[in-house]
Amino acid sequence: MVHLKERLNFFFNSRWLVFVAAMWIQNCAGIGYLFGSISPIIKSSLNSNQKQIARLGVAKDLGDSVGFLAGTLCEILPLWAALLVGAIQNFIGYGWVWLIVTGRTSPLPLWAMCILIFVGTNGETYFNTAALVSCVQNFPKNRGAILTQIYAVIYSPDHASLIFMIAVGPAMVIIALMFIIRPVGGHRQIRPSDGLSFSFIYSICLLLASYLMGVMLVEDFIDVSHNVIIIFTAILFILLVIPVVIPISLSLTQEPEEEALLSESRKQDPGKSEHDDGQELIFSEVEEEKPKEVDLLPASERQKRIAHLQVKLAQAAAEGAVRIKRRRGPRRGENFTLVQALIKADFWLMFFSLLLGSGSGLIVIDNLGQMSQSLGSDNTHVFVSLISIWNFLGRIGGGYFSEIIVRDNAYPRHAAMAVAQVVMAFGHFFFAMGWPGAMYIGTLLVGLGYGAHWAIVPAAASELFGLKNFGALYNFLTLANPAGSLVFSGLIASSIYDREAEKQAQQHHVGESNLASVLSSFLNLDEPLKCEGVICFFLTSLIMPGICIIAAVLSMILVYRTKTVYANLYGMSRT
């Protein structure tokens, strides 16, 4: 009995159980990606135009990006309490929207609807922040597609039921798992098999993405029965549950003596910080003392010269021959505060590159409902699912290939960002042309590029500006998301859409008799304008490739400015 109790105790305190629970929570934190599915029903029920829906989209993006309060509460409150706050926000925000859309309560003005969307979507920042705080490594997101497939099981002719699921589903999952998400002393649970465990989970992740993509395509091209959809969703749940075998297997094989041995490494931690500070200062001195021609040498020779200079400085500092100076401000690669970062050109290059790149991606994500309808497709949820899957794969691919660029070549990570932004430019071009299959190819390219941004930017920010104040730096960079949405979706795309819809309405009335025109105008006075055809997003989709190319140019400028930094950070590991 005692042995069983020890096994259960290890299972419930396993960092891998926390990791898997965090993965499940993030799967439920994809409500922002579903806005393209719910915006058409909101638009029709509230008699809104596209510009008003775009403002709701901006409110959604603000809620999804503004995580300062979530970050603060996660530092003050236990993580379970912060998760509960997020679940309550999610339930109240989208629950109220559902009541309005279904006519169970009176409509609210647009500004109040924006607040509800903001509050509901902002709940997911608590989910993500708690997952980041509790896990050593964040798990890539495949969120919106999973919620959409689950919705297919409870699908009914009333499309507003999706809003109900968004309000209730994530809140129920968060409440069920909130006591698992917590620090459990993971640094004492390091095992040689950790790499294999991560590979297993990433393999399941890729299998899950492939499965979801296959299911969405089958449901789009074939009229499957409801029973088949239930089977598809049951398989989905099995794939989601499979990763829990890792903490189960570890709890069955872990010996009590092993954890005691692993904890001994912790005893050395107090003496490490002083040594690390000295190394950081010596690294800074090397930057000042090395001759400029060193940067022009081949990589292997350059690293030998730098290593030799570091050894000399360390010996001289130990003997008192030189005094390592503390400068007033950090150099790139050291720890910056937010204020210190805000006066650096590299930080603003990263911010505006992200603003232009992610902002152009949000045009597609926020307007998928209207884009698919304008091209004659009623299966909006399929494209929402697909772009969510491609976004997920973009995060994995962007992180993987940027690691190759950095680790194997000691080259700035933003080179991968520039490639992703060029890929997005081609995706927008396909949307503009409106060729057969353009929705599929466009969502593929834009989804991959958009997702890559959110794998590359956090890593690059930590490399250039340090980890000590990473939360504040990253939360500021995420403000590029709603800023891009406001400019590109809230102003450009919505204005062009409404203008084309007005033209189509006027042309329609011109073709009728005067009496019929007057009667039609009277009957449709309160109906929202609807645009049909490629023309609805043609001009917008032609502008966006230029925006993506500008973003890629900014990324390459950042690459040029930080080549030396990356050579010093990663070149040493290659020699």
Side-chain angles (χ1 to χ4, degrees):
M1 180 63 70
V2 175
H3 187 67
L4 177 61
K5 185 177 180 180
E6 289 178 354
R7 297 295 183 189
L8 290 174
N9 182 65
F10 179 83
F11 174 75
F12 286 109
N13 289 282
S14 170
R15 63 175 183 161
W16 284 101
L17 179 63
V18 177
F19 184 89
V20 173
M23 178 186 74
W24 292 338
I25 284 177
Q26 288 189 327
N27 285 333
C28 294
I31 51 182
Y33 294 101
L34 292 173
F35 186 77
S37 289
I38 66 176
S39 60
I41 185 65
I42 294 176
K43 181 179 179 180
S44 60
S45 62
L46 300 181
N47 293 322
S48 302
N49 58 32
Q50 189 62 23
K51 186 173 289 187
Q52 291 170 325
I53 291 298
R55 290 172 184 170
L56 291 178
V58 173
K60 180 268 299 181
D61 294 329
L62 277 170
D64 194 22
S65 302
V66 179
F68 292 112
L69 181 59
T72 301
L73 289 182
C74 282
E75 293 180 0
I76 298 174
L77 301 176
L79 291 182
W80 67 264
L83 285 168
L84 182 60
V85 171
I88 292 172
Q89 280 194 207
N90 178 83
F91 178 75
I92 292 176
Y94 280 100
W96 204 331
V97 171
W98 175 74
L99 292 174
I100 292 172
V101 168
T102 56
R104 288 174 169 84
T105 188
S106 57
L108 295 177
L110 181 63
W111 64 267
M113 290 293 295
C114 289
I115 291 176
L116 290 179
I117 294 290
F118 173 87
V119 170
T121 311
N122 190 247
E124 71 179 62
T125 64
Y126 293 84
F127 310 157
N128 289 326
T129 302
L132 283 167
V133 170
S134 62
C135 295
V136 176
Q137 180 175 342
N138 194 14
F139 190 79
K141 304 171 187 175
N142 55 328
R143 306 175 296 182
I146 290 176
L147 286 177
T148 302
Q149 177 60 25
I150 295 172
Y151 165 64
V153 176
I154 62 170
Y155 176 82
S156 69
D158 178 16
H159 291 264
S161 57
L162 177 57
I163 303 177
F164 179 78
M165 194 208 71
I166 291 173
V168 176
M172 293 176 62
V173 174
I174 298 306
I175 291 174
L177 298 175
M178 63 185 185
F179 291 110
I180 296 178
I181 302 298
R182 69 204 190 282
V184 290
H187 60 284
R188 297 193 299 272
Q189 300 181 25
I190 298 174
R191 295 171 59 95
S193 61
D194 284 347
L196 183 62
S197 298
F198 274 114
S199 298
F200 175 75
I201 287 186
Y202 280 112
S203 299
I204 295 297
C205 210
L206 291 172
L207 177 62
L208 178 61
S210 302
Y211 173 76
L212 282 170
M213 181 176 63
V215 167
M216 291 299 112
L217 292 176
V218 168
E219 292 178 356
D220 187 29
F221 291 111
I222 302 175
D223 187 15
V224 297
S225 66
H226 190 68
N227 290 333
V228 174
I229 293 178
I230 292 176
I231 294 173
F232 284 161
T233 308
I235 297 173
L236 166 65
F237 276 109
I238 292 173
L239 290 174
L240 286 173
V241 170
I242 285 177
V244 82
V245 303
I246 292 177
I248 291 175
S249 63
L250 288 176
S251 66
L252 295 176
T253 59
Q254 176 77 39
E255 295 299 330
E257 293 80 5
E258 291 185 31
E259 188 168 344
L261 290 173
L262 291 170
S263 63
E264 290 184 5
S265 61
R266 196 180 181 190
K267 297 176 182 178
Q268 300 177 1
D269 289 347
K272 264 181 97 175
S273 70
E274 183 179 350
H275 174 73
D276 290 344
D277 288 342
Q279 289 296 330
E280 183 176 282
L281 290 171
I282 288 174
F283 172 78
S284 301
E285 287 295 315
V286 169
E287 285 291 294
E288 290 185 350
E289 297 292 335
K290 71 178 182 182
K292 295 200 179 288
E293 59 267 18
V294 169
D295 291 333
L296 302 176
L297 295 173
S300 58
E301 181 63 25
R302 182 177 67 244
Q303 294 310 320
K304 289 179 182 178
R305 294 280 295 274
I306 291 175
H308 182 64
L309 183 56
Q310 284 179 323
V311 171
K312 288 179 63 178
L313 278 171
Q315 291 174 345
E319 297 170 1
V322 299
R323 182 180 179 182
I324 301 300
K325 304 185 293 294
R326 290 185 178 271
R327 293 178 313 279
R328 294 182 180 179
R331 288 184 179 273
R332 289 172 296 186
E334 300 174 358
N335 289 318
F336 281 71
T337 65
L338 178 59
V339 174
Q340 290 170 333
L342 288 175
I343 62 175
K344 295 297 182 181
D346 293 337
F347 189 81
W348 287 108
L349 283 170
M350 190 182 300
F351 180 86
F352 283 108
S353 174
L354 180 61
L355 186 153
L356 297 176
S358 67
S360 69
L362 284 172
I363 279 186
V364 177
I365 292 173
D366 292 348
N367 294 281
L368 265 179
Q370 287 71 38
M371 293 178 76
S372 60
Q373 286 181 352
S374 67
L375 295 177
S377 175
D378 295 327
N379 295 328
T380 303
H381 71 281
V382 172
F383 298 111
V384 171
S385 297
L386 288 176
I387 201 168
S388 175
I389 293 168
W390 298 129
N391 166 45
F392 158 64
L393 292 176
R395 292 174 188 247
I396 291 182
Y400 179 77
F401 287 111
S402 68
E403 280 296 307
I404 292 177
I405 290 172
V406 166
R407 301 285 178 182
D408 294 350
N409 302 285
Y411 202 70
R413 195 180 296 269
H414 262 71
M417 177 81 93
V419 173
Q421 288 159 344
V422 172
V423 168
M424 291 181 71
F426 281 103
H428 286 293
F429 179 76
F430 273 95
F431 281 124
M433 294 299 100
W435 294 323
M439 285 294 297
Y440 291 98
I441 298 175
T443 53
L444 163 65
L445 298 178
V446 173
L448 287 175
Y450 178 83
H453 282 67
W454 300 105
I456 297 169
V457 168
S462 66
E463 288 162 341
L464 295 179
F465 303 105
L467 286 169
K468 187 174 182 181
N469 300 292
F470 174 74
L473 295 167
Y474 180 66
N475 274 325
F476 186 91
L477 287 171
T478 59
L479 293 178
N481 230 25
S485 175
L486 175 63
V487 174
F488 300 129
S489 184
L491 297 178
I492 296 176
S494 61
S495 298
I496 295 174
Y497 179 95
D498 284 340
R499 187 185 67 185
E500 295 298 335
E502 290 173 0
K503 286 182 181 179
Q504 291 184 2
Q506 291 172 1
Q507 292 172 358
H508 176 71
H509 293 320
V510 167
E512 300 176 344
S513 65
N514 290 337
L515 179 60
S517 178
V518 172
L519 180 60
S520 177
S521 298
F522 175 77
L523 292 176
N524 297 314
L525 183 63
D526 295 327
E527 289 189 8
L529 291 172
K530 185 177 179 181
C531 182
E532 296 179 352
V534 178
I535 193 64
C536 303
F537 290 93
F538 174 74
L539 183 57
T540 299
S541 298
L542 278 186
I543 294 173
M544 288 306 108
I547 297 297
C548 291
I549 295 301
I550 295 173
V553 170
L554 294 180
S555 294
M556 290 309 298
I557 293 174
L558 187 59
V559 167
Y560 175 78
R561 290 174 56 88
T562 58
K563 283 193 296 184
T564 302
V565 179
Y566 276 87
N568 289 326
L569 286 174
Y570 292 101
M572 190 70 77
S573 62
R574 299 168 55 221
T575 59

